[in-house]
Amino acid sequence: MSKPKITQLGKRVAVPKSPDQTRLESVANPHADSDYVVRFTAPEFTCLCPITGQPDFALFVMDYCPAKSLVESKSLKLFLTSFRNHGAFHEDCTVLIGKRVVEAIKPKFLRIAGFWYPRGGMPIDVFWQTGKLPAGVVLPDPGVSPYRGRG
């Protein structure tokens, strides 16, 4: 297996203009012989409503059990940031992010939870997962309560 080429690590990189212009990079998993969970939490995700152009905001919690590769965190941050001027529905953003990470690193298991902040009085939560959680691995709760407004 050839060593992946890391092109964004350790240098200034412009924010990609859209998700399709980004490259999720991977690094070798130093503990590929062990099953464990990696969690990324992105509390300030932003995209645009494809109908109105108004901003939409979400909190993402992504858990995965790596196989041979880990997602390189700077490339993931740039990928998520590339949605800022991208118009897409909540469901599309959430599932697209999960699928792109799976494509990049081929984990044993991945679950992504998108907790979208209300606009028009209705929050939308989107969950997507793939693979099987390895036996004996603890998968923590995402830790986000259902939206209750002021109640």
Side-chain angles (χ1 to χ4, degrees):
M1 181 174 176
S2 65
K3 186 176 178 181
K5 183 178 179 186
I6 304 296
T7 61
Q8 303 171 101
L9 191 61
K11 60 182 160 180
R12 184 179 210 114
V13 178
V15 174
K17 295 189 185 304
S18 70
D20 60 335
Q21 294 180 1
T22 62
R23 180 171 175 254
L24 278 170
E25 296 183 341
S26 64
V27 296
N29 178 1
H31 299 284
D33 61 335
S34 300
D35 290 328
Y36 61 98
V37 173
V38 176
R39 172 171 283 178
F40 284 105
T41 305
E44 299 176 344
F45 181 86
T46 307
C47 69
L48 299 175
C49 171
I51 305 297
T52 66
Q54 293 180 318
D56 284 322
F57 305 96
L59 164 91
F60 280 109
V61 179
M62 184 175 61
D63 296 302
Y64 74 94
C65 293
K68 294 179 183 177
S69 301
L70 304 171
V71 66
E72 195 283 313
S73 62
K74 182 176 181 179
S75 73
L76 180 61
K77 291 173 196 173
L78 288 166
F79 175 55
L80 295 177
T81 302
S82 74
F83 282 84
R84 286 197 176 161
N85 294 311
H86 178 73
F89 292 109
H90 303 339
E91 299 84 352
D92 183 28
C93 286
T94 305
V95 175
L96 174 64
I97 292 166
K99 285 183 174 182
R100 285 285 303 273
V101 171
V102 167
E103 179 185 317
I105 65 167
K106 297 169 184 44
K108 296 174 185 176
F109 169 85
L110 181 136
R111 173 185 70 188
I112 185 166
F115 300 95
W116 293 84
Y117 295 96
R119 196 162 49 76
M122 182 183 294
I124 298 174
D125 298 337
V126 181
F127 305 90
W128 183 80
Q129 72 181 44
T130 187
K132 292 191 181 222
L133 186 66
V137 172
V138 175
L139 182 65
D141 182 82
V144 179
S145 299
Y147 186 77
R148 293 187 51 202
R150 294 181 187 251

